[in-house]
Each structure stands twice: as structure tokens, then as C-alpha cells.
Amino acid sequence: MNKSNKNNERLINVGALARVEGEGALHIKMKDNKVERVRLEIYEPPRFYEAFLQGRDFMEVPDITARICGICPVAYQMGCCHALEKAMGVFDDLDPEIRQLRDLLYCGEWIESHILHMFMLHLPDFLGYESSITMAADHGPTVKKALRLKKLGNEIVAILGGRSVHPVGACVGGFWKAPDPVEVAELIPEVKACLDEMCELTMFLAENVDFPDFERDYEFVSLKPETGYPMNLGPIVSNKGLHVEQEEFNQAIEEIHIEHSTALHSIIKGKGAYMVGPLARLNLCHDQLLPRAAEISPKVCKAVKKQLPWKNNFFSLVARGIETIHALELTLNVFENYKVPKRSRVPITPRAGKGGHGTEAPRGICWHEYETNADGSIKHAQIIPPTSQNQMTIEEDLRELVAQLADLDDEKLCLRSEHLIRNYDPCISCSVHFLNLKREWIHS
Amino acid sequence: MKQAPNPILLISCGNTMAGDDALGPLTTKRLRDHTLPQVDIIDLDMNPAGLLNLLPRQQALCIIDAAYVQGACAGQIIDIDWFDINRPDLAHDDVLSSHGLGISNQIDLASTLDLLPPIVWLVAMTIDPSQVGDKQTKFLKNQLDIVIDTTLQRLDIIKQTEKEESHA
């Protein structure tokens, strides 16, 4: 609906919608074709979790927080396990084999989540389809290849987690049970095949997708371990000078209340918005990719005609592709060298303590901080999911995009805004898919 | 050793923390107490997109879910061919599905990719709109046994049909 007033004001409202992880809405106010205000409203259910975790035993936390998201339960499990191991004073006791299995579990989730987002949610935007269903009618073989990869991701999660949906294998201190070497060996041929297939798919995307030209000067933030691509460990850095140890992250950022949203926005203290996620990781750590991913990375750059670092988040589509190749390669390395570890978890004696830790969820840093009582029950919990960290950056993106595309009609502007939001693979993707755009023109 | 999948796949969807939307997960949890040869029972929880990892299946897909039908009373049992035009919308397909990938979308996608078995059946109970934090109502408590019985009968019919067709 278009309305106008005597002040030449234009209001664009992308209606509020319900979703699993909360509710999203977009409101844009323009005056004389200039954007005056952008509000992306998100209501984050993880806040409920922080409250009802209080009083629960620390060993219950991984399985409770896993329920925050049906797509990335591992991210919540990994964040809380590391943070609680710090609180319990066993963080440094973890065996390298346990840490490797944690990376493996994350690989399964990255593969599953990235493929889901790339081929079910994001690619239809680029190819001009309404949904993956209509896209599948024309690109069936590509979608089937993607489904094969997604299935493999789930199988990797299931090997360690006992099941692929809300896995239960991880625990504070390690895993309840180490993977069966027979099951691991059985999957190796499929991992090899999928690795080749993912290289082809990533190049297909790089060579055939027309990426919108939209660059911004972002502050990219990710973990950056000394060796290896970021996943579970490492200090937190940015391209603009941020460099903090894990324990200091919560002091470096600030969660702020925004009038138009019950969700907290995260900013870097004294600076402002920042971006987490695949583009941030790739830009900051592309020199730490495994060989196959490192080999394909310059080929992708050549195909999209842009060298890293990329300042265009529409390239996140192929950034996820490169990360998926890395995850498959890491999986193969771990699988081929797998031996049942001497122990699958370290023993823990409950104590009063405090610990914070961030890991790299598919969508970016997922931060957990806990304070425990002497009996191991949770006294205080804080969870900062990646979407809330990206929220302000999404608003800033939208502000610039809408200004550039002010002449478009409602439908096209809505589609382009949705497409941009989906670059972030936010947990509001589901609502964004069904947003109804309402626009008001207000003239003098 | 990995086992080959059974010819019949029985899945549930739903959110155990969102009132009567817990119908699916609660039903499959109870069905695991029964001996059901040739049937794989999987609760997809809040991740209906996981369905495509479980297909194709040779014989049948049976879905247990809560259904929201505008204007209809809560607590009614539905036992219907998925492709029947009178099939109601499922409760989680819009508001409670992860990332907009509801079970209906997944079945449409599976159909486009020729991954569906010949029989796709829905056993459901109508519910009032629910959201995270809602308590389960008397309808769910009263009707859960009936949903389980209906599902067991439906599985028997599916198996019987298959047997007759293979004999023929």
C-alpha cells in the first residue's frame, strides 16, 4: 500500500512475522527518497533460555541450549561446553583427541547448515526463483547433489551426537561416547565423493551466479586460531584492530537495548556495528584453509572477479561453499586417521566458577558465559547468538541498499531487501521468506 | 554396520515447548514402545528440513503432526491422504518451522525431485494456535492415545495394502 503526506515522507513496512527463533519485521522511513530510518526488529527467544537455565545442573546445559535452534544445535552445545569447562576449571585438561572430535561435530553442522542455506534459501534469490521448490523443477540434479551433501552433514553429526536432530552425544568435558570406528570407516568413501562434488558445486555457483554489486566497509570479526581455520578455539580478531583473548570478548563488545526491539544489539565498544559469519571468517582466515579449499579459493575469486577480502556480503554464498569444502576436507582427515580415544571425556568435580567462550557457529560467533554455584548449578547464563551480533549491520546494509534502489516498486524493493537479509542466513530467514511489504507515501 | 532403511518411514514434527504442537514428538515417543517391523520412526522435532535426508522410501511416508485449521475446534483427529485437497495446514508450517522450511515445503520439494513413496499419509490432531511457552491442553492429553491407535491402524492398512498388491 502506498501513502504519502505533505512532507514527502515514504514509509515502508515489512510486516511482523512469527518464526521459531523469534519474530522479525522491517520498517523503513524515507523522506524525499532519502532513507531517514531503518528498523529491523527481532525478538530473540534465547533470552528465555538464559532465565530458565538458572538452577539447572551444568551437565544439563548442552542438551537444553541445543534446543534453541533446530538447524544449529551443535553451535549452542559447543559454546556452552567450552564455557562451562572454564567455569569448572578443566578447560586445559581436554585431550587433543576430544578437541578434534569437537571440530568434527562442527564440520557436520557446518556442512548441513551451509548447504541448507545455500541451496534451499539463498540460491533461489540469485537465480530468480520464488523458492527451492520452483528452482528444483529446473535444477533438479543440482538440488539432488546438495541434498546428498546435506545428508552427509547430518550423518557426521549423528556419528558423534547419536542422532542428527538435536544430537545428544556432546557433554561438558567431551563426549558421552566416542564414535564407532566401523561407522567412521564406512562414511569415508561418501566424504571423498562429496568433497569432489562440493568443489564442482562451488565453482558452478561462482561461474554462473550474477552477484549484485554492493560493497561496504564492514568490521569483520571472527575467531583466529594460530593454526587451522576458526571453529572452536582461538582469540577473537577483526580487520580493524580488534584482538582480544576469548575471556575478554564480553568486555570488548556491548549489548545495547534498542527502543524498537526487545532483542539486544551487539556493538564493539567505542565503535559500532560489526559482522560475524562466513564472510568474516574467510576474509580474516583464508590463509588457514585446508589445501583443497585453499586451492579453489583463488579460482572462485577469479570467477567472481574480486580478490579477497570481499566487502560484498552477497559473496557469502560462495564463502559458504569454500567453507563447506574445508569442512569436508577436515572431516576426511579426521576420519582417515581416527582411532578410538583413550577416554571420551574428562572427569569433572562441580565447583563455583565463571567462564565465557565463543565458537564459530555456521552464522558466526556464538558466545556463552556462565557462572556456577558450588554444586554445579547455574547461577547466571548469557548467550549472544550470531544473529543479534549482525543485526545492526543488517540495518546499516538495508539503509544503504534501499537508498540505492529507491525507485523500485514495492514488490521489487521487498525482494531485494529479503535477498540482502538472507546474505546473513539469520535465524529470521523463515519470517523473511514470508514478509509482506507495506509501503506508505506521505506527501505535503 | 549401517542397516538399510525400512520401507515405511514414520515421522513427527513439532515443538515440545509450544503447547499442543508437541503432539508429533509425543506420539513417536510412545510409538517406540511398540514393535513395528518395516517401520523407521524419526522425530524431526523443529527441523522438518531433515525429512529429505530420510528419503526415498520404497513404500510409505506417514506424518504425525499437529494441524491448525482456522475455525475448527481443537482436538479433532485427522487421518488423511497427504494429497487430499481437504488436508488442513499443519501447525508448524508457518510460525514454528525453522527457517521457513516447513514439512509441506519439504514434501513439495521431495515430490519435485521424485523422492516420495507411493503412499504419503497424515495423522494429525487439530489444535488452537500455539507458541513457545504455552502449556499442553486437555485436548492433547485426552486425544494422544487415540492418535497413537489411529497411527497403528493406519500402518497396518499400509502394510496390508502392500501385501495385497505384491500378491496381485
Side-chain angles (χ1 to χ4, degrees):
Chain A
M1 183 174 63
N2 292 344
K3 282 186 182 175
S4 56
N5 74 1
K6 58 187 176 183
N7 298 320
N8 256 359
E9 286 180 338
R10 180 187 186 188
L11 301 175
I12 300 165
N13 294 308
V14 183
L17 288 171
R19 60 184 172 84
V20 170
E21 290 87 3
E23 295 177 350
L26 175 63
H27 307 287
I28 298 169
K29 184 180 178 184
M30 300 175 76
K31 190 172 183 181
D32 298 328
N33 264 9
K34 286 185 180 168
V35 182
E36 277 205 333
R37 186 183 67 211
V38 173
R39 287 178 171 179
L40 178 68
E41 296 179 5
I42 302 176
Y43 308 92
E44 288 290 342
R47 292 293 175 264
F48 300 133
Y49 280 79
E50 291 166 334
F52 66 66
L53 280 170
Q54 288 174 19
R56 303 303 293 249
D57 188 82
F58 76 101
M59 289 299 278
E60 292 181 288
V61 177
D63 291 336
I64 294 175
T65 54
R67 315 289 297 191
I68 290 172
C69 184
I71 302 291
C72 54
V74 171
Y76 289 94
Q77 291 185 322
M78 291 300 94
C80 74
C81 283
H82 286 98
L84 284 164
E85 282 150 12
K86 287 178 179 174
M88 295 296 152
V90 298
F91 182 78
D92 294 327
D93 300 342
L94 258 67
D95 308 325
E97 293 83 359
I98 294 174
R99 295 208 184 281
Q100 195 173 54
L101 290 178
R102 284 191 169 167
D103 284 348
L104 182 63
L105 182 59
Y106 236 145
C107 284
E109 179 161 286
W110 276 26
I111 295 164
E112 193 263 347
S113 176
H114 277 359
I115 293 292
L116 178 75
H117 181 71
M118 291 167 68
F119 293 94
M120 305 294 144
L121 298 171
H122 210 192
L123 188 56
D125 285 330
F126 289 101
L127 299 183
Y129 292 95
E130 185 196 10
S131 69
S132 57
I133 299 159
T134 48
M135 187 181 78
D138 292 341
H139 297 275
T142 301
V143 176
K144 278 188 175 171
K145 282 180 188 176
L147 289 173
R148 180 183 178 183
L149 278 145
K150 184 173 167 295
K151 187 175 183 177
L152 174 66
N154 277 37
E155 285 175 347
I156 295 164
V157 171
I159 275 186
L160 287 140
R163 60 189 189 194
S164 61
V165 180
H166 291 310
V168 290
C171 64
V172 185
F175 290 87
W176 294 113
K177 187 183 159 206
D180 177 353
V182 177
E183 280 184 37
V184 167
E186 277 180 350
L187 265 187
I188 288 175
E190 183 65 3
V191 178
K192 284 181 178 170
C194 282
L195 177 55
D196 291 339
E197 204 134 272
M198 192 62 216
C199 290
E200 285 172 22
L201 280 171
T202 303
M203 284 313 299
F204 167 80
L205 296 176
E207 287 166 353
N208 291 285
V209 166
D210 190 14
F211 295 94
D213 186 13
F214 184 77
E215 291 200 348
R216 287 191 56 231
D217 186 22
Y218 300 101
E219 178 147 11
F220 299 108
V221 176
S222 83
L223 273 61
K224 189 170 173 63
E226 271 183 33
T227 55
Y229 199 72
M231 209 165 254
N232 275 303
L233 300 172
I236 295 160
V237 305
S238 83
N239 58 324
K240 294 190 176 182
L242 178 77
H243 190 119
V244 292
E245 293 304 319
Q246 282 272 351
E247 291 71 21
E248 299 160 347
F249 181 62
N250 215 3
Q251 281 77 57
I253 64 151
E254 188 177 1
E255 286 191 291
I256 54 172
H257 246 303
I258 301 293
E259 188 187 352
H260 61 260
S261 177
T262 56
L264 297 172
H265 283 203
S266 294
I267 56 166
I268 297 176
K269 276 182 190 167
K271 287 185 173 178
Y274 61 100
M275 185 200 288
V276 296
L279 197 69
R281 288 190 293 256
L282 190 68
N283 280 338
L284 294 166
C285 308
H286 58 88
D287 55 341
Q288 292 164 232
L289 288 163
L290 287 170
R292 287 288 293 273
E295 184 191 324
I296 209 162
S297 180
K299 292 177 186 167
V300 172
C301 288
K302 192 178 174 190
V304 301
K305 300 182 181 68
K306 280 282 177 190
Q307 294 304 308
L308 288 165
W310 290 331
K311 293 180 176 179
N312 180 347
N313 201 17
F314 285 97
F315 289 149
S316 64
L317 179 79
V318 279
R320 287 187 179 90
I322 293 169
E323 285 199 332
T324 306
I325 294 168
H326 172 87
L328 285 159
E329 209 173 348
L330 182 55
T331 301
L332 186 59
N333 290 350
V334 177
F335 274 7
E336 286 186 328
N337 298 297
Y338 179 68
K339 286 177 189 155
V340 180
K342 284 178 188 162
R343 58 178 182 177
S344 66
R345 63 183 186 276
V346 296
I348 297 173
T349 307
R351 69 170 199 181
K354 190 177 176 182
H357 194 90
T359 63
E360 288 286 357
R363 291 152 195 81
I365 296 171
C366 183
W367 174 261
H368 288 242
E369 189 166 300
Y370 298 94
E371 199 175 343
T372 54
N373 297 305
D375 64 354
S377 61
I378 303 299
K379 189 176 178 182
H380 175 74
Q382 184 189 17
I383 301 168
I384 309 175
T387 297
S388 72
Q389 296 177 71
N390 280 333
Q391 198 173 337
M392 193 173 276
T393 302
I394 299 173
E395 283 188 347
E396 290 180 359
D397 272 5
L398 285 164
R399 180 183 288 271
E400 194 157 321
L401 183 87
V402 171
Q404 285 180 16
L405 305 175
D407 293 336
L408 290 182
D409 63 31
D410 288 3
E411 191 183 347
K412 284 178 182 161
L413 188 57
C414 182
L415 283 172
R416 295 295 291 271
S417 299
E418 286 179 320
H419 188 179
L420 180 142
I421 292 170
R422 276 194 280 275
N423 285 339
Y424 291 83
D425 188 11
C427 286
I428 57 163
S429 282
C430 53
S431 58
V432 174
H433 269 284
F434 298 98
L435 288 174
N436 295 311
L437 182 74
K438 280 201 297 182
R439 179 187 291 195
E440 276 185 279
W441 275 101
I442 307 164
H443 288 303
S444 312
Chain B
M1 202 68 179
K2 227 160 90 176
Q3 290 179 332
N6 278 305
I8 300 171
L9 174 63
L10 190 145
I11 59 149
S12 61
C13 297
N15 189 337
T16 49
M17 290 186 281
D20 289 356
D21 192 44
L23 174 90
L26 292 183
T27 304
T28 44
K29 190 178 176 188
R30 289 268 301 275
L31 284 171
R32 287 204 178 90
D33 296 336
H34 294 256
T35 304
L36 295 172
Q38 299 183 302
V39 181
D40 285 331
I41 302 174
I42 310 275
D43 174 31
L44 292 173
D45 196 274
M46 290 148 51
N47 186 12
L51 173 65
L52 286 163
N53 300 327
L54 307 168
L55 296 175
R57 293 290 165 136
Q58 197 186 331
Q59 199 173 332
L61 167 65
C62 186
I63 303 142
I64 318 289
D65 206 347
Y68 172 61
V69 187
Q70 203 164 14
C73 298
Q76 294 178 55
I77 306 299
I78 293 160
D79 180 24
I80 194 168
D81 183 335
W82 177 269
F83 296 106
D84 190 315
I85 53 168
N86 294 317
R87 178 181 67 75
D89 291 334
L90 298 181
H92 64 272
D93 258 12
D94 45 9
V95 294
L96 294 172
S97 65
S98 269
H99 298 249
L101 294 167
I103 195 71
S104 304
N105 303 72
Q106 295 306 293
I107 290 175
D108 285 347
L109 183 55
S111 174
T112 305
L113 297 170
D114 292 326
L115 296 174
L116 285 182
I119 299 169
V120 182
W121 207 266
L122 171 70
V123 178
M125 183 191 82
T126 56
I127 66 167
D128 289 325
S130 65
Q131 57 184 0
V132 173
D134 285 352
K135 288 182 178 171
Q136 290 162 11
T137 72
K138 62 178 181 183
F139 297 114
L140 178 59
K141 285 164 191 160
N142 294 343
Q143 302 288 64
L144 186 59
D145 285 340
I146 300 173
V147 172
I148 290 164
D149 288 344
T150 306
T151 307
L152 290 169
Q153 286 166 22
R154 178 53 52 195
L155 290 172
D156 283 343
I157 293 168
I158 290 169
K159 285 179 192 172
Q160 193 57 39
T161 309
E162 169 65 14
K163 206 179 278 179
E164 285 166 8
E165 281 177 4
S166 59
H167 282 305

